[in-house]
């Protein structure tokens, strides 16, 4: 756990976590940071206190002491969001200090009661304030369904700091550099990639709510954005706001000038057509990400499709339906409400078709509204005329995706 000063009377404690499945699902290749913030006036508040997945609150207490905060002197615990990555230490904290007050939205209060039996809670609404003394005044601004329904922003007026919780966060462990002005160009790229992974894996389902949260942030005067995960933005907070606007567009079908090939093959027939697709993309100078299912993690698959303007689905018929690992991937993308992508499907069949029918069922059931060029199916191995049709399909896709590109 690392301790950093954000401003006078405001500190961050940040902890890197790796080798976990985030939410019990997402295999996050580069881990994640968990950030807590301490605001000290005459009273002391901790925002989104975290203990990490080691489940050792003593680590948090020791670090608080090292920045001059006795855990026993914490008056308020601000729960911006009840999910246990931000609140999992509450019951333990009650054991060493019983009279602190939790500050949260009404929805968080209900979840806190059901998870931890908490009832010493001050419920806040839009614009409510908490004066900690010495000029530190916190105000609270619900942003429901920025992940869970209970989420709120906390804003510190004197320093114009927005404690944004999951909003404006990113996966990826932080090294020595935790502020935007310290990041190297490589680290900036890293956190952009990890921001996309985070948004697509965890938040994309709630994109309409995230757009509202962006609008709310735009109404605030902000000098610092201090999220629950990832770097703190103090030089250019507008950068992460703009990134989140762009990520919201990716959820609605826009993407970078790149193609994701989402593919699977039983006995190598569809794979022959994928080889042909790769050669065409190389010839056309288009960046592509080739993801073989089920070998690729869902985290990487969702992030890659999410950020790409064009998607090529290469999958055969399997037992009268779409090759199951690719069908499962598409269902997950549907659950994440990744809509409006420009797409092209190709695939082999043996004794009967059926993949195409299931593809359209998945699209309709999840209201994905992907914009397909005509599919190419072939019996057994692709013949020359099939590969010619594949080439035509790829070129049409590249044309179609041009209007979707947002870098
Ligand atoms: Fe940071 Fe919704 O968890």
């Amino acid at each position: 756990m690392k301790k950093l000063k954000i401003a006078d009377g405001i500190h961050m404690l940040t902890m890197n976590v790796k080798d976990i499945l985030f939410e019990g699902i997402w295999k996050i290749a580069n881990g994640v940071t968990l950030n807590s913030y301490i605001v000290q006036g005459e009273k002391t508040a901790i925002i989104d206190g975290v203990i990490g997945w080691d489940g050792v609150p003593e680590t948090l207490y020791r670090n608080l002491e090292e920045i001059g905060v006795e855990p026993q002197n914490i008056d308020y615990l601000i729960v911006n969001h009840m999910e246990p990555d931000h609140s999992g230490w509450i019951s333990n904290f009650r054991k060493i200090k019983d009279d602190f007050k939790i500050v949260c939205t009404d929805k968080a209060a209900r979840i806190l009661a059901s998870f931890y039996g908490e009832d010493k809670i001050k419920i806040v609404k839009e614009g409510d304030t908490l004066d900690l003394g010495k000029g530190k005044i916190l105000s609270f601004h619900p942003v429901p369904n920025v992940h869970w329904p209970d989420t709120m922003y906390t804003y510190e007026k004197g320093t114009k700091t927005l404690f944004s919780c999951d909003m404006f966060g990113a996966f990826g462990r932080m090294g020595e550099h935790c502020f935007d002005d310290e990041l190297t160009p490589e680290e900036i790229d890293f956190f952009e990639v990890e921001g996309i992974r985070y948004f697509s894996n965890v938040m994309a389902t709630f994109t309409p709510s995230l757009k509202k949260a962006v609008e709310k942030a735009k109404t605030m005067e902000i000098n610092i954005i201090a999220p629950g995960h990832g770097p703190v933005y103090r030089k250019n907070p507008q950068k992460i706001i703009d990134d989140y606007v762009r990520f919201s567009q990716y959820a609605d079908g826009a993407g970078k000038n790149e193609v994701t090939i989402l593919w699977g093959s039983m006995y190598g027939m569809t794979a022959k057509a994928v080889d042909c697709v790769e050669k065409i993309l190389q010839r056309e100078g288009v960046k592509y990400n080739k993801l073989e299912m089920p070998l690729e993690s869902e985290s990487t698959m969702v992030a890659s499709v999410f950020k790409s303007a064009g998607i090529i689905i290469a999958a055969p018929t399997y037992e009268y339906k779409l090759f199951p690992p690719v069908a499962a991937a598409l269902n997950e993308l549907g659950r994440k409400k990744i809509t409006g992508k420009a797409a092209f499907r190709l695939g082999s069949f043996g004794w009967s078709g059926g993949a195409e029918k299931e593809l359209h069922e998945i699209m309709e059931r999840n209201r994905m509204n992907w914009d397909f060029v005509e599919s190419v199916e072939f019996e057994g191995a692709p013949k020359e005329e099939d590969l010619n049709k594949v080439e035509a399909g790829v070129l049409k896709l590249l044309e179609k995706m041009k209007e979707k590109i947002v870098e």
Side-chain angles (χ1 to χ4, degrees):
M1 197 174 260
K2 223 183 322 180
K3 305 166 284 289
L4 294 152
K5 186 174 173 181
I6 303 264
D8 278 344
I10 303 180
H11 287 83
M12 170 168 81
L13 297 179
T14 180
M15 171 181 264
N16 280 330
V17 179
K18 59 176 183 171
D19 300 329
I20 58 146
L21 290 178
F22 198 81
E23 297 182 322
I25 304 171
W26 305 102
K27 195 174 173 181
I28 42 177
N30 298 308
V32 62
T33 58
L34 305 175
N35 302 335
S36 298
Y37 300 94
I38 294 94
V39 183
Q40 289 171 281
E42 276 143 23
K43 305 266 184 190
T44 298
I46 179 164
I47 301 171
D48 291 340
V50 293
I51 56 171
W53 265 262
D54 62 357
V56 182
E58 283 71 18
T59 310
L60 172 64
Y61 305 148
R62 195 183 60 247
N63 280 279
L64 285 169
E65 282 163 9
E66 283 172 16
I67 57 167
V69 176
E70 289 291 331
Q72 287 80 2
N73 292 339
I74 290 176
D75 303 286
Y76 298 102
L77 175 54
I78 316 291
V79 177
N80 273 339
H81 167 41
M82 211 308 286
E83 194 170 7
D85 58 331
H86 304 267
S87 71
W89 65 303
I90 292 175
S91 300
N92 184 287
F93 190 41
R94 280 273 176 233
K95 288 183 198 151
I96 65 162
K97 178 183 168 71
D98 194 40
D99 61 349
F100 69 89
K101 190 149 253 177
I102 292 173
V103 179
C104 64
T105 61
D106 54 350
K107 292 195 182 83
R110 188 170 162 183
I111 313 174
L112 281 164
S114 69
F115 273 56
Y116 307 126
E118 281 296 330
D119 57 5
K120 287 179 186 147
I121 294 175
K122 173 182 166 70
I123 290 175
V124 289
K125 302 186 297 301
E126 176 63 43
D128 284 355
T129 57
L130 177 66
D131 190 345
L132 298 176
K134 292 188 183 168
K136 290 280 180 289
I137 300 172
L138 301 177
S139 62
F140 306 102
H141 308 276
V143 281
N145 297 314
V146 167
H147 207 195
W148 288 16
D150 58 317
T151 311
M152 67 179 185
Y153 288 150
T154 294
Y155 179 75
E156 201 287 309
K157 218 171 161 183
T159 54
K160 300 186 174 63
T161 302
L162 181 69
F163 301 98
S164 60
C165 193
D166 281 349
M167 193 71 190
F168 306 125
F171 281 144
R173 295 189 294 278
M174 289 194 284
E176 285 306 301
H177 302 151
C178 300
F179 294 100
D180 60 344
D181 50 293
E182 299 173 335
L183 299 177
T184 63
E186 293 74 30
E187 287 170 330
I188 290 170
D189 290 347
F190 172 80
F191 282 111
E192 146 118 22
V193 169
E194 290 299 322
I196 287 171
R197 186 193 289 275
Y198 177 71
F199 191 116
S200 62
N201 288 188
V202 179
M203 310 274 260
T205 307
F206 310 101
T207 298
S209 301
L210 270 77
K211 288 180 184 171
K212 287 183 191 160
V214 165
E215 290 311 310
K216 187 168 274 194
K218 283 182 180 170
T219 66
M220 299 166 147
E221 222 181 310
I222 296 171
N223 285 348
I224 302 170
I225 290 183
H229 309 286
V232 170
Y233 297 83
R234 65 182 178 187
K235 182 182 171 207
N236 183 14
Q238 190 61 40
K239 194 244 182 239
I240 190 68
I241 295 175
D242 292 342
D243 281 353
Y244 262 57
V245 168
R246 191 160 41 86
F247 300 165
S248 303
Q249 292 170 328
Y250 292 171
D252 293 339
K256 290 174 181 282
N257 186 18
E258 53 191 75
V259 167
T260 287
I261 307 170
L262 187 60
W263 76 287
S265 186
M266 273 182 283
Y267 295 113
M269 302 300 115
T270 297
K272 288 178 197 274
V274 172
D275 290 344
C276 166
V277 165
E278 277 196 89
K279 288 195 184 99
I280 298 160
L281 293 174
Q282 285 164 8
R283 185 190 73 206
E284 298 299 316
V286 177
K287 184 178 174 197
Y288 64 93
N289 318 299
K290 186 181 168 194
L291 307 181
E292 183 178 6
M293 304 309 293
L295 302 183
E296 211 59 62
S297 76
E298 282 202 27
S299 171
T300 297
M301 181 278 294
V302 169
S304 181
V305 171
F306 176 81
K307 71 171 176 162
S308 297
I311 314 300
I312 294 174
I313 300 163
T317 290
Y318 177 91
E319 296 179 349
Y320 314 106
K321 293 195 170 186
L322 186 63
F323 187 58
V326 172
L330 290 169
N331 273 309
E332 185 58 39
L333 294 163
R335 187 197 298 262
K336 290 290 167 201
K337 299 197 190 325
I338 295 173
T339 61
K341 292 290 180 188
F344 167 50
R345 178 195 160 246
L346 57 99
S348 169
F349 64 91
W351 64 91
S352 93
E356 195 65 12
K357 183 165 177 277
E358 193 186 11
L359 172 68
H360 292 295
E361 285 168 1
I362 292 168
M363 290 291 144
E364 273 169 37
R365 188 170 60 246
N366 294 295
R367 298 192 186 125
M368 292 164 83
N369 200 26
W370 285 21
D371 186 5
F372 279 88
V373 304
E374 196 181 338
S375 298
V376 176
E377 293 198 294
F378 43 87
E379 189 171 353
K383 318 296 179 299
E384 194 180 339
E385 65 264 29
D386 300 315
L387 295 176
N388 288 339
K389 287 184 198 163
V390 166
E391 177 171 10
V394 172
L395 294 176
K396 271 189 209 157
L397 176 72
L398 296 183
E399 208 43 49
K400 198 183 267 295
M401 66 185 252
K402 276 185 186 158
E403 66 203 43
K404 309 255 183 194
I405 294 168
V406 177
E407 295 279 5

